Amino acid sequence: MLLRVRVALPDRPGSLGQVARTLGVAGADIVQVVVLERLGGRAIDDFTVVWPGGAGVERLRAGLGAMPGVRVDGIWRAIGAPVAGAFDAELLTQVAANPNEGLATLVDTVPALLAADWAMALRVPADWAARGSVGIDARHGADDMALLGAVRKRPLPPIVYSSWRAPEQLQLPEVTPLRARAITGADGTRYALAPFGRAGLVLVVARSADAELPVAVFHATEVDRVAQLVRAAAAIVGERLDAAKPPVPRAAQRSAEEPASAV
């Protein structure tokens, strides 16, 4: 299987080679290395590796964790072959070639670019964040707060389009960003959010939490990459984003297709 391994290491000659050798000894075949950050004598690198199917990652984590100055920030499954930043231009070319399907093209493609699990475009009302507030003060006990929180659970914003791996049941955190940002959900899912700047649309890209594999947060460079793609796609698609609507539920589709019964 394909794994993404994110490590923080000392930014000095030989450190990268030592990490590469450790990965090789553990049984990982490196297919790509991306430097995410070099700052203050430290570097953060992403390694995409082929890992034997069915093998646990304990040996991999132990080997890296034993290296002086090396910190493992995440190991998670990558979907599809690794792609470079140059593919961003190809994605935008596809959006421009068929702007009517531009939003779907963006949502379907972004997960592979960022080793994420799924993505979706939400139409978030301006007052969505306030819809879950209950006005609880110190006079309410813990049980009352839990009860009121359950009664006034914030509704899910309408999903305009989602990629094929997106889950049916979502527990989204606050998704009304004034700017692109990375956040972590209550269940450990990692999110990158980026607003389109029109029609209340927000792109959500997610890495799902895993009991065995620690999922890395979206790095600032990854969030910037998502934001750039969203801004460019929004400029290309333009007013078509205003007309984007949530899909019709399947049950409603079947009802509409069924012929009216004779009276």
Side-chain angles (χ1 to χ4, degrees), residues 55 57 73 76 95 143 155 210:
V57 298
D73 285 347
W76 68 101
V95 172
D143 293 340
D210 190 293

Side-chain angles (χ1 to χ4, degrees), residues 191-254:
Y191 297 97
L193 310 177
F196 283 82
R198 64 186 305 158
L201 287 175
V202 176
L203 181 67
V204 179
V205 188
R207 291 175 181 146
S208 301
D210 190 293
E212 178 186 4
L213 303 176
V215 184
V217 300
F218 284 89
H219 190 266
T221 57
E222 296 177 302
V223 176
D224 289 343
R225 187 179 182 187
V226 173
Q228 291 171 10
L229 287 170
V230 166
R231 287 196 299 268
I236 295 170
V237 178
E239 295 180 355
R240 296 175 181 85
L241 291 176
D242 301 334
K245 298 180 180 179
V248 178
R250 293 180 180 177
Q253 284 182 335
R254 288 195 297 267

Side-chain angles (χ1 to χ4, degrees), residues 57 61 98 140 181 189 199 214 248 252 254:
V57 298
R61 297 176 63 181
N98 187 3
H140 293 87
R181 70 181 192 274
T189 301
V248 178
R254 288 195 297 267

